[in-house]
Amino acid sequence: AVADLEKFATTFIKASTATNIGADMAEEVLRVMNTIDEPVSRIDRLMSAVNELGNNLATNERRILEFLGVMPGLKNMLRFTTEQLLSFAAVASTTANEAGLTGTAMNNLAMIMMDAASKGGKALTVLAQTAGMAEQEFADLIRRNGYEAMVRFIAGMKRVQGEGTDLARIFDDMGGEGSRLIRAVLSL
């Protein structure tokens, strides 16, 4: 535990000189790590990845961490790896959306996907059709690789939007809040 605290302090000092994450963010970083179930011993890897993403995307490190902290459902329900969650949060942080709005929408979508995979029904039909897959195939993908299922669904949403499909109806048919989910999903 002492070694982890020393590692955290050393890494955080380095990060605060290389990023826009200042000393005021130490508690927030620990909260995010706890939320996404990352041990403090991995602080160096997390901060290195956040720094790299902040340097290479139209966003900043503070915003990436903000988005990372509001999307734990993707990791908990769809079993995203930390790396997958981090990449998703980084992309989401490049949008004009607020973190809370996007986090709520994506966590709700994760719940809808998990529920559809276990119960089937209209939501699974709509999800699978949107992703361009058979129902059972998509349900299996959700269970096996939630990240890939989410990526395919988002790509499908963009495709059907281009075809003129009523996106609000799709989300209503899945049992989700249409406008919030649409805005969050299509901005990715």
Side-chain angles (χ1 to χ4, degrees):
V2 172
D4 288 345
L5 288 176
E6 288 174 0
K7 186 176 190 177
F8 180 84
T10 301
T11 302
F12 205 80
I13 290 168
K14 289 177 185 176
S16 67
T17 60
T19 69
N20 71 335
I21 298 170
D24 62 315
M25 291 282 296
E27 185 178 338
E28 177 68 12
V29 170
L30 285 171
R31 186 190 66 74
V32 167
M33 291 187 77
N34 186 55
T35 300
I36 64 170
D37 200 28
E38 265 309 297
V40 174
S41 62
R42 289 182 44 114
I43 182 69
D44 54 338
R45 292 179 182 172
L46 179 70
M47 295 308 292
S48 177
V50 168
N51 182 40
E52 183 73 22
L53 291 165
N55 288 333
N56 290 294
L57 295 173
T59 188
N60 64 59
E61 297 84 2
R62 188 179 287 254
R63 190 153 160 83
I64 292 169
L65 284 172
E66 182 182 5
F67 275 78
L68 188 62
V70 296
M71 292 195 234
L74 300 179
K75 186 169 184 180
N76 300 333
M77 287 181 272
L78 295 177
R79 295 171 310 286
F80 278 28
T81 65
T82 297
E83 292 77 12
Q84 290 169 334
L85 183 61
L86 185 55
S87 69
F88 207 86
V91 169
S93 75
T94 66
T95 70
N97 292 339
E98 295 176 28
L101 172 104
T102 300
T104 299
M106 298 316 297
N107 288 323
N108 286 343
L109 181 55
M111 283 190 284
I112 291 168
M113 291 173 74
M114 288 304 296
D115 193 49
S118 66
K119 296 178 183 173
K122 190 173 187 176
L124 179 59
T125 301
V126 172
L127 285 162
Q129 286 175 345
T130 303
M133 298 174 71
E135 288 180 37
Q136 191 57 52
E137 180 184 20
F138 193 68
D140 291 344
L141 183 61
I142 292 169
R143 288 186 208 98
R144 188 179 68 252
N145 187 341
Y147 180 80
E148 181 65 25
M150 182 70 77
V151 168
R152 287 192 186 198
F153 177 74
I154 291 169
M157 284 296 297
K158 291 180 178 187
R159 177 185 49 79
V160 298
Q161 180 191 34
E163 296 168 356
T165 301
D166 180 7
L167 299 181
R169 192 181 99 273
I170 288 175
F171 282 108
D172 288 344
D173 288 347
M174 291 183 337
E177 296 177 36
S179 61
R180 185 178 290 194
L181 279 168
I182 290 168
R183 194 162 87 201
V185 169
L186 290 181
S187 66
L188 300 174

